[in-house]
């Protein structure tokens, strides 16, 4: 059952007819429709239990400094309930304090809004609406992010297009896309942007897959300028020809090419082995100086040297990625298998090679690794459903339904289900950053 459907009784005046249970989700085509669905998402039923906040949580939220996202935050509560403390590191969101980050925070929120619109993630989209309004962005400017970019600068337009492509079609990003960005941004800013977009895609997959409800105190039913009220989105994954502008429209599923044959895959990996990085890497000595003292002493892989260009945010991501590989209650082999499935479907060759190295170190044979790309019907249901969630959540998070999570509960604990979702979110980040950067495979 879709999470909007389950909130229908409480939001019947706010949300028009929505897709039947576990079918293609509804995408709001226009801004007024989007606001009604954002309001209605307050009534979504989370796919893992999210009890009402305790008195202590309310008191803690009240004591925090007032800001655009003050008060209870259901995403943070869900993470606190189900993820081990070491997997809750949020430094990848680009919080302040890293002197190497130079992009404007509100600009990155605009990118987050676009990513969330593409992924049809109501929770994240709602939060970006609030943050943009708090940053002084007008209603009309926010509405323009949905497709009419003519009033934005050339630099903004190329960044918005990059966010859209890297989110929806990461396998299609090329060196030409990076060079187009470099005409307006420094190499460091392109990396910052890429890391941000990767992190936003990860967050969409967490909040969307678990159907986290929007907080009650957010305000979304604000007036919309008549001149833009019926403009149909050019960003959202919809086929606008299937309905009137005021009607809800079913999402168009994201399409990925058919997986390559064994020979085609070998050729793609061989090409990736000798390619030159599209973005600068930190030197070994500089990267080592930024990393924790207990980091392994072996020569640093390219992905670490790439992220270590940002001494706080990037290094935080390095630590989180290594922790995601090693910590938690999930079977280590399943964690590596999820990384493989995600990278394979994203055509993230560097990430795929890294996942396969992990699998081989855990004893997987080449034949077993190859089977991760094929039919899974002969597998035990617990493994099959975990693989299916990894593939679906990687390709199109909006298509994850109630049953995808429900059938994992039982074979796995609720905390393990959350960790499984988290592993896909980490892959969404790692795949996009390493492949957009064109990292060559390690020797």
């Amino acid at each position: 059952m879709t999470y909007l459907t389950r909130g229908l009784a409480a939001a019947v005046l706010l949300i028009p007819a929505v897709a039947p249970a576990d079918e293609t989700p509804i995408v709001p085509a226009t801004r007024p429709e989007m606001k009604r669905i954002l309001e209605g998402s307050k009534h979504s039923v989370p796919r893992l239990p999210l009890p009402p906040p305790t008195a202590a949580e309310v008191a803690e939220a009240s004591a925090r400094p007032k800001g655009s996202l003050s008060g209870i935050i259901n995403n943070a509560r869900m993470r606190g309930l189900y993820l081990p403390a070491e997997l809750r590191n949020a430094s990848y969101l680009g919080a302040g304090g890293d002197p190497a980050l130079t992009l404007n925070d509100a600009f990155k929120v605009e990118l987050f809004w676009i990513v969330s619109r593409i992924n049809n993630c109501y929770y994240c989209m709602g939060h970006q609406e609030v943050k943009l309004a708090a940053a002084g962005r007008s209603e009309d400017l926010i509405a323009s992010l949905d497709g009419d970019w003519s009033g934005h600068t050339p630099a903004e337009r190329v960044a918005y297009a990059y966010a859209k492509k890297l989110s929806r079609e990461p396998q299609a990003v090329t060196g030409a896309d990076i060079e187009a960005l470099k005409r307006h941004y420094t190499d460091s800013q392109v990396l910052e942007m890429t890391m941000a977009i990767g992190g936003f895609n990860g967050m969409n997959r967490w909040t969307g897959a678990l159907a986290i409800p929007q907080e009650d105190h957010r305000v979304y039913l604000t007036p919309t300028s008549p001149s833009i009220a019926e403009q149909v989105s050019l960003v959202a994954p919809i086929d606008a020809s299937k309905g009137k502008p005021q009607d809800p429209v079913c999402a168009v599923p994201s399409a990925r090419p058919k997986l390559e044959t064994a020979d085609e895959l070998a050729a793609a990996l061989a090409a990736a082995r000798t390619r030159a990085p599209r973005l600068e890497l930190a030197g070994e000595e500089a990267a080592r100086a930024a990393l924790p003292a207990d980091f392994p002493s072996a020569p640093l892989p390219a992905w670490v040297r790439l992220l270590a260009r940002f001494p706080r945010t990037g290094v935080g991501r390095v630590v989180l990625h290594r922790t995601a590989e090693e910590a938690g209650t999930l079977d280590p082999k399943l964690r590596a298998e999820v990384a493989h499935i995600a990278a394979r479907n994203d055509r993230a060759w560097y990430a795929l090679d890294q996942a396969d190295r992990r699998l081989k170190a855990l004893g997987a044979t080449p034949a077993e690794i190859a089977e991760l790309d094929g039919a899974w019907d002969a597998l035990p249901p617990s493994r099959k459903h975990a693989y299916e969630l990894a593939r679906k959540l990687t390709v199109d998070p909006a298509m994850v339904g109630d049953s995808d999570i429900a059938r994992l509960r039982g074979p796995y604990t609720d905390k393990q289900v959350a960790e499984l979702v988290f592993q896909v979110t980490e892959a969404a980040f790692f795949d996009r950053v390493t492949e957009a950067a064109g990292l060559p495979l390690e020797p």
Side-chain angles (χ1 to χ4, degrees), residues 117-132:
R117 188 71 160 116
I118 291 165
N119 288 326
N120 205 37
C121 180
Y122 303 125
Y123 184 88
C124 290
M125 198 186 313
H127 275 213
Q128 307 331 303
E129 288 272 326
V130 172
K131 288 190 285 186
L132 286 172

Side-chain angles (χ1 to χ4, degrees), residues 117-183:
R117 188 71 160 116
I118 291 165
N119 288 326
N120 205 37
C121 180
Y122 303 125
Y123 184 88
C124 290
M125 198 186 313
H127 275 213
Q128 307 331 303
E129 288 272 326
V130 172
K131 288 190 285 186
L132 286 172
R137 298 299 198 257
S138 68
E139 162 67 21
D140 285 7
L141 188 145
I142 297 173
S144 72
L145 296 175
D146 215 11
D148 181 7
W149 299 339
S150 60
H152 294 264
T153 67
E156 290 170 335
R157 293 199 297 271
V158 73
Y160 297 162
Y162 180 60
K164 183 177 179 180
K165 189 174 189 179
L166 186 56
S167 298
R168 186 76 167 171
E169 303 175 286
Q171 79 283 357
V173 171
T174 67
D177 295 304
I178 302 301
E179 290 306 311
L181 288 166
K182 287 183 178 180
R183 288 194 282 271

Side-chain angles (χ1 to χ4, degrees), residues 42 57 72 87 90 97 118 125 129 138 197 213 241 245 261 273 296 320 330 345 357-359 393 398 414 427 436:
K42 297 175 181 179
E57 287 177 313
I72 293 292
L87 297 182
I118 291 165
M125 198 186 313
E129 288 272 326
S138 68
I197 294 166
S241 68
T261 65
R273 194 172 302 280
L320 178 59
L330 281 181
N345 282 276
R357 288 171 187 248
R358 290 166 58 192
L359 285 168
L393 189 52
D414 283 356

Side-chain angles (χ1 to χ4, degrees), residues 42 72-75 123 127 213-218 220:
K42 297 175 181 179
I72 293 292
I73 300 177
N74 287 332
N75 176 26
Y123 184 88
H127 275 213
Q214 194 63 249
E215 296 84 17
D216 287 340
H217 58 280
R218 313 285 178 216
Y220 296 114

Side-chain angles (χ1 to χ4, degrees), residues 260-314:
E260 295 77 10
T261 65
D263 288 344
E264 291 168 340
L265 175 60
L269 291 172
R273 194 172 302 280
T274 59
R275 64 190 178 183
R278 297 166 183 162
L279 296 174
E280 181 182 347
L281 309 184
E284 180 85 13
E285 184 177 347
R288 179 69 64 181
L291 293 167
D294 60 351
F295 203 82
S297 59
L300 297 175
W303 73 270
V304 173
R305 292 173 54 202
L306 178 73
L307 298 182
R309 290 178 60 186
F310 298 119
R312 181 181 181 276
T313 304

